[in-house]
Amino acid sequence: MVARTELTDLLDAAREAARRLSAIPPETKSEALRAMAAALEAHAAEIIPENERDLARAREGGATEAVLDRLALDEERIRAMAEAVRDIAELPDPVGDVLEERTAPNGLRIRKVRVPLGVIGVIYEGRPNVTVDAAALAVRSGNAVVLRGSSIAERSNATLASIIQAAGEAAGLPPATIQAVPATRESARELMRARGRIDLLIPRGGNDLIQTVVTESLVPVVETGIGNCHVYVDRAADLEKALRILVNAKVQRPGVCNAAESFLVHRDVADEFLPKALAALREHGVTVYGDEAVRSFGDEVLPATDEEYRAEFLDLRISGRVVDSLDEALAHIREYGTLHTEAIVTEDHGAAERFVEGVDAAAVMVNASTRFTDGGEFGMGAEIGISTQKLHARGPMGLPELTTHQWVAWGDGQTRE
């Protein structure tokens, strides 16, 4: 348990690290990130046994396969994390970018310049990769980071944080740039109340975690979203294309927020599409919940209620419905969607444009899987989360979203009359 005085000292150390980090040259940060990536690979034999202990404890606690998949690390995943860090090291440093520049009539030169936020806190569930992604993005954008993972991944997170902090510090980062705190309720509560010491708090996980942080925090929060993502198969869809997209969106990695949790099919193509879709989903072990129209195509389809249509399953389950029009599909998404990612499959450009204009989501896919809503896939490097808010950060949050701006005015003795 972290006592308040201990956590306060930790956060004060993070603020000092952030102050020093804001003045460090971009190349020093890049070299530190490369050192962190190399350290991850070099210490894989240390990381994996700690992760296996977390996995064993999770299995004993009855964790689902989806939870275990998110938790598990092996050499391939560690290499992938390291490569993501290297990718971030090569991204342009946002700090110091001039966003606007003008000269006033009195000769005052005014600039709007990107600056780091300061100290970022991240509260997250059983995804050890978040430890590395969040730390790397924070470092590149000039921020210190305080990481509070979940108890299910505590050994993995502590080991990863220790390795990358040591490597970064050896390469020139200030001490306390990256810190992990124990996964206790007390530590989460203190982070949510650390106004003045934490500049931004980012929750990543399920609905309960996110809503707790949003409602209880005294620190500014960017809400990373629940992903009840839909695939709408339009009357003008290429049905083979639609089948590939639906299956990929659901089964390629079902335990993540950009996986599809519901599909909508225009009635005009339901007779042709649904038998193939249900067979393909069944082949991949997916349980389907549907309305009466969907159930008429398969005895194995279970009745769908509001609960299923609102659910972020994060496993091999999906809800489905037959709709009479694109407008009905949009109405369904407005009722049940979570502003994350929505997809349409259609060869009708006009229908695609209507969908894009009519759907409210951080990301919209036309003839593509919802699984592409990802910082890496969008060319941003690893993301710190996917925001479903409508503030400065929406969708995958990369380096620019971890900065704020500062107005700088250069004068030559001007005074205001």
Side-chain angles (χ1 to χ4, degrees):
M1 176 174 167
V2 177
R4 181 176 180 84
T5 54
E6 293 173 349
L7 186 56
T8 299
D9 290 343
L10 180 151
L11 294 176
D12 286 344
R15 293 211 70 79
E16 174 61 19
R19 184 189 66 78
R20 293 174 55 189
L21 191 61
S22 66
I24 285 179
E27 187 52 37
T28 301
K29 291 187 281 185
S30 293
E31 287 300 324
L33 289 167
R34 295 184 193 108
M36 288 160 57
L40 287 170
E41 293 175 330
H43 290 273
E46 176 184 344
I47 296 166
I48 291 173
E50 294 301 313
N51 180 251
E52 288 174 345
R53 292 183 177 92
D54 284 336
L55 284 166
R57 190 171 67 250
R59 288 191 189 96
E60 290 173 4
T64 66
E65 287 302 315
V67 169
L68 294 173
D69 175 64
R70 293 194 293 271
L71 174 60
L73 294 177
D74 55 23
E75 289 190 3
E76 182 179 352
R77 288 190 175 183
I78 292 170
R79 279 196 300 271
M81 288 193 297
E83 284 305 309
V85 175
R86 291 190 180 98
D87 289 343
I88 293 169
E90 302 307 317
L91 292 173
D93 193 314
V95 177
D97 284 352
V98 178
L99 304 176
E100 295 181 30
E101 187 171 14
R102 66 179 68 95
T103 301
N106 64 2
L108 203 62
R109 292 180 291 121
I110 302 167
R111 288 181 172 182
K112 183 180 181 181
V113 183
R114 283 198 192 279
V115 295
L117 285 165
V119 179
I120 297 172
V122 187
I123 299 179
Y124 55 106
E125 293 182 339
R127 299 174 185 262
N129 66 291
V130 174
T131 300
V132 176
D133 292 348
L137 286 164
V139 167
R140 190 59 174 153
S141 54
N143 298 288
V145 65
V146 178
L147 303 161
R148 192 278 191 189
S150 65
S151 59
I152 199 171
E154 190 158 14
R155 287 178 176 270
S156 305
N157 291 336
T159 303
L160 290 167
S162 175
I163 289 167
I164 58 179
Q165 167 60 24
E169 188 173 342
L173 296 184
T177 295
I178 302 164
Q179 299 185 83
V181 301
T184 63
R185 290 185 178 182
E186 290 79 9
S187 66
R189 188 176 299 112
E190 292 298 334
L191 291 180
M192 288 187 282
R193 283 158 174 71
R195 190 172 184 88
R197 289 188 168 88
I198 290 180
D199 297 287
L200 179 69
L201 195 57
I202 302 173
R204 286 194 60 175
N207 186 56
D208 289 346
L209 169 67
I210 292 170
Q211 292 308 313
T212 296
V213 175
V214 168
T215 58
E216 294 188 14
S217 181
L218 302 179
V219 175
V221 176
V222 167
E223 184 175 349
T224 58
I226 304 304
N228 185 7
C229 306
H230 298 75
V231 175
Y232 167 56
V233 181
D234 186 51
R235 65 188 303 178
D238 177 324
L239 298 186
E240 290 302 315
K241 188 183 296 182
L243 185 61
R244 291 196 306 273
I245 289 170
L246 174 60
V247 171
N248 177 265
K250 178 68 261 183
V251 309
Q252 192 263 339
R253 196 173 179 194
V256 292
C257 63
N258 58 16
E261 304 291 23
S262 189
F263 65 91
L264 305 170
V265 181
H266 196 288
R267 192 172 301 277
D268 288 357
V269 295
D271 287 351
E272 184 178 355
F273 180 73
L274 280 173
K276 295 177 183 178
L278 294 177
L281 291 169
R282 183 170 59 248
E283 182 180 343
H284 286 87
V286 179
T287 298
V288 178
Y289 300 85
D291 64 358
E292 185 177 348
V294 175
R295 295 201 308 277
S296 70
F297 290 94
D299 294 338
E300 77 281 4
V301 180
L302 301 175
T305 66
D306 267 11
E307 182 178 353
E308 283 76 38
Y309 285 132
R310 294 191 189 282
E312 184 189 33
F313 294 114
L314 297 176
D315 59 22
L316 291 174
R317 291 180 289 164
I318 194 168
S319 64
R321 181 181 173 191
V322 173
V323 295
D324 290 323
S325 65
L326 186 153
D327 287 336
E328 188 177 344
L330 289 171
H332 180 98
I333 292 169
R334 280 194 296 272
E335 176 68 22
Y336 298 106
T338 54
L339 312 183
H340 193 295
T341 302
E342 307 297 351
I344 182 173
V345 186
T346 186
E347 300 302 305
D348 181 339
H349 186 73
E353 287 189 332
R354 283 180 57 207
F355 187 85
V356 171
E357 293 169 358
V359 75
D360 189 3
V364 186
M365 301 293 167
V366 178
N367 294 325
S369 172
T370 59
R371 287 283 290 115
F372 284 107
T373 303
D374 175 85
E377 295 292 338
F378 282 9
M380 300 162 56
E383 74 203 20
I384 202 166
I386 298 175
S387 169
T388 55
Q389 290 179 322
K390 299 184 181 181
L391 303 177
H392 82 292
R394 196 178 193 202
M397 295 172 60
L399 297 174
E401 289 74 29
L402 298 182
T403 64
T404 183
H405 63 262
Q406 183 178 62
W407 290 96
V408 181
W410 290 81
D412 186 28
Q414 290 92 334
T415 59
R416 185 170 176 176
E417 295 181 2

